């Protein structure tokens, strides 16, 4: 039992040293621990840890019983002394083993978090660089858009001036058309008056002809 505990403690110390220093084995150890914490690995580790803790508590209880028996007897029994030393050594080794196991778990957790943090920082730096590059590109695009807007504004002003010119020409044409319409109306009125005068003259000529033809008829009779 004691030799097994020494072997486990030695292995745990090697694992801790491997995690503390950046060596080629560190990545392999981290990958192994990652796999152990997947699936049924955590349950198995917790079961082993709980078993060791129960055995530790049992040893402590046995030590308390031996201590009470020694106090009641008033003298230390050599067998109890040897058993007490053995139980104390086993309890110390088991407690130290659990402590080292907790250290390995925490070291692995913090190393993994540190790796994730570094990846996040690298992604943020890359995104920041992309943003800066995009910002420079967008500045050039904004400059080109500004020049295009200025060109469009100049075209709009030119079109507005042309529209004003066309509007003035349209108003002039409308005024000329109105004057021609009024003039044509005057011509029509004048034409109607001339037609009326012409009709009146024809009526007068016919009356004159009739008046002239009547005396001739009377003479012939």
């Amino acid at each position: 039992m004691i030799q097994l505990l020494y072997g486990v403690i030695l292995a745990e110390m090697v694992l801790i040293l491997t995690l503390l220093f950046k060596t080629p084995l560190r990545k392999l150890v981290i990958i192994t621990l990652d796999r152990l914490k997947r699936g049924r690995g955590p349950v198995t580790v917790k079961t082993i840890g709980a078993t060791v803790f129960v055995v530790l508590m049992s040893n402590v209880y046995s030590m308390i019983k031996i201590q009470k028996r020694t106090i009641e007897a008033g003298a230390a029994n050599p067998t109890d002394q040897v058993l007490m030393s053995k139980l104390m050594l086993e309890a110390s080794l088991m407690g130290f083993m659990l402590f080292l196991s907790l250290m390995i778990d925490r070291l692995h957790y913090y190393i993994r978090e540190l790796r994730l943090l570094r990846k996040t920082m690298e992604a943020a730096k890359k995104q920041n660089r992309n943003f800066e590059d995009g910002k420079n590109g967008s500045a050039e695009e904004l400059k080109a858009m500004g020049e295009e807007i200025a060109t469009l504004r100049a075209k709009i002003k030119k079109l507005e001036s042309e529209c004003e010119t066309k509007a003035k020409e349209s108003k002039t044409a409308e005024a000329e058309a109105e004057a021609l319409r009024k003039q044509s109306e005057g011509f029509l009125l004048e034409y109607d008056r001339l037609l009326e005068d012409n009709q009146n003259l024809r009526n007068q000529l016919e009356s004159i002809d009739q008046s002239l033809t009547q005396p001739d008829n009377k003479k012939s009779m």
Side-chain angles (χ1 to χ4, degrees):
M1 179 73 175
I2 294 175
Q3 292 178 354
L4 178 62
L5 292 174
Y6 273 120
V8 173
I9 289 171
L10 182 61
E12 287 179 341
M13 292 177 68
V14 172
L15 280 176
I16 290 172
L17 290 173
T18 305
L19 291 173
L20 287 175
F21 300 99
K22 194 172 182 180
T23 58
L25 292 174
R26 181 179 178 179
K27 187 176 181 180
L28 181 62
V29 172
I30 291 172
I31 292 171
T32 305
L33 291 175
D34 287 336
R35 291 180 178 177
L36 283 175
K37 289 186 177 181
R38 295 175 186 171
R40 304 177 99 183
V43 178
T44 305
V45 173
K46 288 179 182 179
T47 303
I48 295 172
T51 303
V52 173
F53 183 75
V54 169
V55 174
L56 174 63
M57 290 296 103
S58 176
N59 286 355
V60 172
Y61 180 72
S62 298
M63 288 166 60
I64 293 172
K65 285 178 65 178
I66 293 171
Q67 187 70 25
K68 285 182 179 180
R69 191 166 57 242
T70 302
I71 292 172
E72 289 175 357
N77 190 355
T79 304
D80 289 340
Q81 288 181 355
V82 173
L83 185 59
M84 184 77 171
S85 300
K86 180 176 178 295
L87 291 173
M88 186 177 294
L89 179 60
E90 288 181 354
S92 300
L93 292 175
M94 283 187 285
F96 190 53
M97 183 187 72
L98 291 175
F99 175 73
L100 292 178
S101 300
L102 182 63
M103 281 187 64
I104 291 170
D105 181 68
R106 291 295 90 192
L107 279 173
H108 174 255
Y109 173 77
Y110 289 125
I111 289 170
R112 187 175 59 183
E113 290 296 320
L114 183 61
R115 288 173 63 189
L116 292 174
L117 183 61
R118 285 177 179 174
K119 289 181 180 179
T120 305
M121 289 179 65
E122 288 177 359
K125 288 179 180 179
K126 187 176 179 181
Q127 188 176 3
N128 189 21
R129 286 195 297 268
N130 293 331
F131 177 75
E132 292 293 333
D133 294 338
K135 189 176 179 181
N136 295 329
S138 61
E140 295 178 357
E141 290 178 359
L142 287 173
K143 185 178 179 181
M145 288 177 67
E147 293 176 355
E148 187 175 356
I149 288 170
T151 305
L152 290 173
R153 284 179 178 173
K155 289 182 179 180
I156 289 169
K157 288 182 180 179
K158 184 178 179 181
L159 290 172
E160 286 178 352
S161 62
E162 289 180 359
C163 286
E164 289 178 358
T165 305
K166 295 292 183 183
K168 290 178 181 179
E169 291 177 357
S170 176
K171 288 181 180 179
T172 305
E174 287 178 359
E176 291 177 356
E178 184 66 22
L180 289 172
R181 186 181 64 80
K182 290 180 180 180
Q183 188 176 1
S184 63
E185 287 178 356
F187 287 155
L188 288 173
L189 292 174
E190 184 67 22
Y191 179 71
D192 291 337
R193 188 183 62 79
L194 290 173
L195 285 176
E196 187 178 357
D197 290 343
N198 188 15
Q199 188 66 32
N200 290 331
L201 289 172
R202 284 182 180 180
N203 291 333
Q204 288 177 7
L205 287 172
E206 287 178 359
S207 62
I208 292 169
D209 288 338
Q210 288 177 2
S211 61
L212 290 174
T213 56
Q214 284 178 1
D216 291 338
N217 292 330
K218 287 180 181 181
K219 287 179 182 182
S220 64
M221 291 175 65

